[in-house]
């Protein structure tokens, strides 16, 4: 019965999304989100679009799972990543309105040529693919175990439905449907938190004291998030794309409002995981515990929230993919038709990675977040302090960050064990923190030396 209701709600949401999606024929509408009058999106359209495209289905699951295993510290750690709206807004403001560039790629090309844009575009492309497979994975889990008929059919059905209406309107369709989807997501969260708060076992004091050990993994992950929060937004094309649409005041406010709404939403969803963790029975998984505690009707709403966030992220991912390949990289002529072709290709790529068997939802966040840290010195030296740096420093920083991301992936997956014998660190988040500190140390030092080299060369 619950699955029938869920399917009916998904169909209704899909129909509404199709109705809201315009048939865009102009490149400005498809790649920039402009309406039929050539106007950029307004403040609340931009704000709500930012919120729902960054609160992925994976994000909601991560917040709840981290709360389930690590208490309030785990939830706060994941919520800290949403401070990226503040750092991302600052980056956009400096790059676009202070330095005068119309994209992150243009800024990097001006300083580092093709090496700058190629390295950035590779990272962005991988991130977009990871968003496709990670959100589809959550959809599959809702409807069945991996490999089952329900799992496979639900993934394909949601993927195709989202792709079709994304192809109709590109970024314009994404912006319009995002508003509806965000309001639905917020309503779902309010209902879920309301149901949880009236339960007799709900205890605010227990939730606030659920992470008493400050050396525990949740607090370590919070430190990781605070290190990555500078570079993380810059490598996210969905966020960056929305920073180059509206005027300065609208753009600045949209990032600030999106930060406040997103942090609150993630914490509220994380509370569900903490609640389940505090009241679980022996051997219970999070979803099983929540179902027992809140009941089937509430879990339908829980799953609706996941599906809404997955669909909203997918359509934004498709629109950013088409803009990346067609508009920013220039691999194809800038036409709506080519944008649609790229969307389909990215869906196929995401499905390929999904069916390879990747199951760790946080791994994509940690790996891409670590790999993006080569951009941290770019932000401080080039964008903030307006200092030029030698190309070798940028290249060294890039490959160090990639190596750090790969090392974490190998360590977390059990394929390699170097850090424990060397440093005695056992937990994967402790290893991740050490990797991030090393990457950041090498990157910032190389940029400092590269900057001094440029100054001496200029004075010679």
């Amino acid at each position: 019965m619950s699955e029938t209701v869920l399917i009916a709600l998904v169909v209704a949401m899909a129909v509404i999304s199709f109705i809201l999606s315009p048939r865009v024929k102009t490149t400005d509408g498809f790649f920039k989100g402009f309406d039929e009058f050539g106007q950029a999106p307004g403040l609340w359209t931009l704000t709500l679009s930012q919120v729902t495209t960054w609160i992925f289905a994976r994000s909601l699951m991560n917040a709840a799972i981290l709360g389930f295993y690590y208490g309030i510290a785990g939830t706060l750690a994941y919520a800290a990543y949403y401070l990226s709206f503040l750092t991302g807004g600052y980056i956009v403001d400096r790059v676009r309105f202070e330095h005068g560039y119309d994209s992150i790629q243009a800024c990097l090309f001006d300083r580092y040529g093709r090496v700058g844009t190629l390295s950035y575009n590779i990272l962005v492309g991988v991130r977009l693919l990871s968003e496709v497979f990670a959100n589809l994975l959550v959809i599959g889990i809702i409807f069945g175990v991996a490999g089952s008929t329900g799992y496979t059919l639900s993934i394909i059905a949601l993927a195709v439905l989202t792709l079709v209406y994304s192809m109709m309107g590109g970024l314009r369709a994404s912006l319009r449907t995002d508003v509806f989807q965000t309001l639905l997501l917020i309503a779902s969260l309010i209902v879920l938190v309301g149901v949880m708060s009236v339960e007799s076992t709900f205890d605010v004091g227990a939730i606030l004291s659920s992470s008493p050990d400050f050396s525990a993994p949740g607090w370590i992950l919070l430190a990781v998030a605070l290190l990555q929060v500078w570079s993380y937004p810059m490598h996210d094309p969905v966020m960056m794309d929305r920073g180059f649409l509206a005027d300065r005041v609208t753009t600045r406010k949209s990032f600030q409002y999106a930060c406040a709404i997103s942090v609150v939403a993630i914490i509220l969803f994380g509370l569900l995981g903490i609640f389940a963790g505090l009241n679980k029975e022996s051997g219970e998984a999070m979803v099983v515990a929540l179902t027992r505690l809140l009941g089937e009707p509430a879990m339908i709403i829980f799953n609706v929230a996941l599906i809404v966030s997955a669909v909203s992220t997918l359509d934004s991912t498709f629109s950013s993919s088409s803009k990346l390949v067609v508009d920013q990289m220039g691999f194809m002529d800038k036409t709506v038709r080519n944008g649609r072709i790229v969307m389909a290709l990215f869906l196929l790529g995401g499905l390929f990675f999904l069916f390879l068997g990747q199951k760790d939802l946080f791994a994509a966040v940690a790996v891409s977040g670590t790999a993006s840290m080569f951009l941290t010195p770019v932000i401080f030296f080039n964008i903030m302090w307006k200092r030029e740096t030698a190309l070798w420093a940028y290249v060294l920083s890039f490959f160090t960050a990639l190596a750090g991301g790969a090392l974490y992936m190998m360590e977390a997956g059990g394929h390699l064990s170097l850090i424990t014998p060397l440093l005695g660190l056992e937990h994967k988040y402790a290893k991740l923190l050490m990797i991030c500190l090393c990457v950041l140390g090498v990157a910032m030092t190389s940029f400092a030396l590269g900057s001094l080299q440029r100054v001496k060369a200029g004075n010679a």
Side-chain angles (χ1 to χ4, degrees):
M1 180 64 180
S2 61
E3 187 170 303
T4 303
V5 174
L6 185 59
I7 291 172
L9 290 172
V10 171
V11 171
M13 184 187 69
V15 170
I16 295 172
S17 296
F18 270 100
I19 294 172
L20 291 174
S21 299
R23 293 181 178 275
V24 172
K25 297 180 180 179
T26 65
T27 54
D28 276 351
F30 197 85
F31 295 110
K32 297 182 180 180
F34 290 179
D35 64 18
E36 59 272 21
F37 303 107
Q39 298 295 312
L43 173 59
W44 283 107
T45 295
L46 204 55
T47 298
L48 295 178
S49 180
Q50 292 269 37
V51 170
T52 192
T53 52
W54 248 58
I55 299 183
F56 328 124
R58 181 185 71 191
S59 300
L60 297 179
M61 284 297 286
N62 279 339
I65 289 170
L66 290 172
F68 182 76
Y69 286 109
Y70 307 120
I72 190 67
T75 293
L76 291 177
Y78 205 74
Y81 276 99
Y82 287 78
L83 298 177
S84 293
F85 278 113
L86 299 181
T87 53
Y90 174 81
I91 292 166
V92 165
D93 194 77
R94 297 285 292 187
V95 168
R96 184 181 174 193
F97 298 107
E98 294 290 333
H99 293 271
Y101 297 107
D102 61 1
S103 68
I104 300 297
Q105 285 91 338
C107 176
L108 293 174
F109 182 81
D110 193 40
R111 287 171 170 79
Y112 305 110
R114 292 184 181 276
V115 172
T117 53
L118 179 63
S119 57
Y120 180 78
N121 287 335
I122 289 173
L123 181 63
V124 166
V126 171
R127 174 162 177 81
L128 288 169
L129 284 172
S130 77
E131 290 308 322
V132 175
F133 81 74
N135 283 281
L136 289 178
L137 173 60
V138 175
I139 296 296
I141 292 172
I142 291 172
F143 288 96
V145 297
S148 68
T149 302
Y151 173 89
T152 304
L153 289 180
S154 63
I155 287 173
I156 294 174
L158 261 295
V160 171
L161 286 171
T162 308
L163 177 66
V164 171
Y165 83 72
S166 298
M167 283 181 162
M168 288 168 54
L171 183 54
R172 180 62 185 158
S174 177
L175 290 167
R176 289 190 62 175
T177 56
D178 283 348
V179 175
F180 156 68
Q181 290 159 355
T182 305
L183 295 175
L184 186 57
L185 175 62
I186 291 172
S188 300
L189 284 174
I190 291 173
V191 172
L192 285 169
V193 173
V195 172
M196 176 181 66
S197 63
V198 298
E199 289 292 319
S200 59
T201 51
F202 180 74
D203 185 344
V204 175
I207 287 175
L208 293 178
S209 60
S210 57
S211 303
D213 182 3
F214 284 96
S215 63
W219 296 113
I220 294 173
L221 186 58
L222 176 59
V224 172
L226 294 176
L227 288 177
Q228 293 185 350
V229 76
W230 279 98
S231 59
Y232 202 87
M234 192 170 172
H235 94 298
D236 184 272
V238 174
M239 180 185 284
M240 291 296 100
D241 284 351
R242 282 155 177 74
F244 289 84
L245 301 178
D247 61 81
R248 190 173 193 175
V249 173
T250 299
T251 301
R252 186 178 289 172
K253 287 183 177 179
S254 73
F255 276 86
Q256 293 168 352
Y257 295 170
C259 178
I261 295 170
S262 297
V263 168
V264 171
I266 287 296
I267 289 176
L268 289 178
F269 213 88
L271 291 180
L272 294 167
I274 301 171
F275 175 65
L278 291 173
N279 296 282
K280 68 181 178 181
E281 295 180 351
S282 179
E284 265 190 332
M286 183 191 71
V287 173
V288 175
L290 275 179
T291 303
R292 176 177 53 81
L293 292 165
L294 302 182
E296 286 286 348
M299 291 310 293
I300 291 175
I301 297 173
F302 180 92
N303 288 328
V304 167
L306 294 178
I307 292 169
V308 168
S309 58
V311 170
S312 65
T313 303
L314 282 172
D315 64 39
S316 297
T317 300
F318 291 144
S319 62
S320 290
S321 300
S322 64
K323 185 173 183 178
L324 173 69
V325 175
V326 176
D327 186 29
Q328 294 168 334
M329 297 176 71
F331 280 177
M332 308 167 76
D333 291 336
K334 190 178 176 180
T335 65
V336 172
R337 178 177 178 273
N338 285 338
R340 289 167 177 159
I341 291 172
V342 171
M343 287 181 174
L345 292 175
F346 266 79
L347 172 57
L348 292 175
L351 289 171
F352 173 76
F353 282 109
L354 174 62
F355 290 111
L356 279 180
Q358 173 59 258
K359 296 294 182 289
D360 187 348
L361 288 175
F362 185 72
V365 177
V367 172
S368 68
T370 304
S372 75
M373 293 185 78
F374 82 95
L375 295 168
T376 303
V378 172
I379 295 164
F380 284 100
F381 283 85
N382 301 153
I383 296 174
M384 185 184 296
W385 300 330
K386 298 181 180 180
R387 298 179 66 175
E388 299 302 318
T389 311
L391 178 60
W392 67 263
Y394 178 89
V395 173
L396 177 60
S397 178
F398 174 69
F399 282 107
T400 301
L402 283 187
L407 177 58
Y408 173 74
M409 183 170 63
M410 297 294 286
E411 287 271 356
H415 306 295
L416 192 67
S417 181
L418 293 177
I419 298 176
T420 299
L422 288 174
L423 302 174
L425 300 175
E426 295 287 347
H427 197 277
K428 62 181 180 180
Y429 294 158
K431 296 177 182 180
L432 179 59
L433 177 59
M434 182 55 62
I435 290 171
C436 288
L437 288 170
C438 291
V439 168
L440 199 56
V442 172
M444 294 296 285
T445 301
S446 64
F447 264 66
L449 295 174
S451 182
L452 286 174
Q453 181 181 338
R454 288 292 296 269
V455 170
K456 290 180 181 179
N459 293 333

